[in-house]
Amino acid sequence: MPPKRSTYVLDTLGSRPTAVQHARTVIEDTLAEAILSGDLASGTPLRQAELAEVFGVSRMPVREALLALTARGLVDNVPHKGAVVISVDAADVVNTYRIRAMLEPEALGGSIPLLDPDDLDHARECLLAMDGEPPLADLGRLNSEFHLSLYRRHPNAKLLKLIAAELDDEERYLRFHLAELGTGQLAQDEHRQILEHAVAREVQQAVTVLRQHISAAADTIEMYFRQRSPN
């Protein structure tokens, strides 16, 4: 846990006077690097007044930079605390993917025979939107929408509710994951294969690709955290 004193970020980053015309970009890039490298620990409060002191600017570019970092999945807004460095626990991330691997193949297999053209069209629209390189915040949402559009016809509403909750958790992790590893990790080719099999009503083939898709994502993020760990 980071120290509780209010100068933690100042002590970590030091004084970094910044030209006003470049302030928002410099603040965003500097904080992103510090978060991804682990220099700013999970849960660290990012107080606007302290950051304004660090960079020698007003609070306006600080506020804009924090909004951008929130969209990138690197900062959370916590009630009564404000902006904090995102808390990402490696075990929680991997467990989320493992739970998805147990639940989603069942949902996909039971849904494919019941999907209608609108469901498939919506999944296709999500893929096209992800190909368009939207902001990371939108990528997480589109990824969830893609998967849910292919599961939504499964008759077990409770199963779908559980999956939606796991995808909500994964959405935050995904933004962090992609911010560090790049959007190429989104595995769009596997998404396309799943959709193609769904369109052809090839249930087993679609389920097989989905299992591989989720398992590979879990392995990638687990490896990332293992390499990042000081132990």
Side-chain angles (χ1 to χ4, degrees), residues 19 55 65 83 96 126 172 229:
F55 294 98
T96 293
C126 290
R172 183 165 65 96
S229 171

Side-chain angles (χ1 to χ4, degrees), residues 45-191:
L46 297 173
R47 300 182 178 90
Q48 293 182 21
E50 186 180 1
L51 290 170
E53 181 181 354
V54 168
F55 294 98
V57 296
S58 70
R59 294 192 186 189
M60 180 62 73
V62 171
R63 188 177 302 114
E64 292 172 347
L66 291 175
L67 287 172
L69 290 166
T70 300
R72 291 173 63 179
L74 300 179
V75 169
D76 273 337
N77 283 300
V78 178
H80 311 301
K81 288 186 178 181
V84 300
V85 174
I86 189 172
S87 296
V88 179
D89 180 83
D92 284 346
V93 177
V94 174
N95 284 338
T96 293
Y97 281 106
R98 300 305 183 199
I99 293 170
R100 287 187 60 202
M102 290 187 285
L103 300 179
E104 293 182 38
E106 164 63 26
L108 180 64
S111 178
I112 284 178
L114 305 174
L115 290 172
D116 63 32
D118 287 343
D119 300 324
L120 297 169
D121 284 344
H122 184 64
R124 193 173 292 109
E125 289 167 3
C126 290
L127 279 185
L128 290 173
M130 285 189 277
D131 283 338
E133 299 184 0
L136 289 179
D138 291 340
L139 269 175
R141 174 183 58 80
L142 289 166
N143 181 70
S144 294
E145 283 190 24
F146 169 78
H147 284 281
L148 289 173
S149 67
L150 296 178
Y151 309 155
R152 65 189 305 264
R153 297 299 172 183
H154 193 285
N156 189 329
K158 189 169 184 178
L159 173 63
L160 296 180
K161 186 176 180 179
L162 289 171
I163 290 172
E166 293 303 319
L167 282 169
D168 281 346
D169 282 345
E170 193 253 5
E171 188 172 322
R172 183 165 65 96
Y173 301 143
L174 182 67
R175 294 199 304 270
F176 182 89
H177 181 188
L178 296 178
E180 173 67 350
L181 301 179
T183 56
Q185 294 292 329
L186 196 56
Q188 283 286 80
D189 286 345
E190 291 171 358
H191 283 157

Side-chain angles (χ1 to χ4, degrees), residues 18-24 56-57 61:
T18 304
V20 174
Q21 62 267 35
H22 303 302
R24 191 204 67 78
V57 296

Side-chain angles (χ1 to χ4, degrees), residues 175-225:
R175 294 199 304 270
F176 182 89
H177 181 188
L178 296 178
E180 173 67 350
L181 301 179
T183 56
Q185 294 292 329
L186 196 56
Q188 283 286 80
D189 286 345
E190 291 171 358
H191 283 157
R192 291 189 186 89
Q193 290 175 41
I194 294 168
L195 178 56
E196 287 169 3
H197 289 309
V199 169
R201 311 297 176 176
E202 296 170 344
V203 174
Q204 192 53 54
Q205 294 93 322
V207 167
T208 296
V209 176
L210 177 63
R211 289 186 192 279
Q212 295 170 348
H213 173 69
I214 297 174
S215 178
D219 291 343
T220 299
I221 197 70
E222 186 174 24
M223 178 65 70
Y224 163 68
F225 279 112

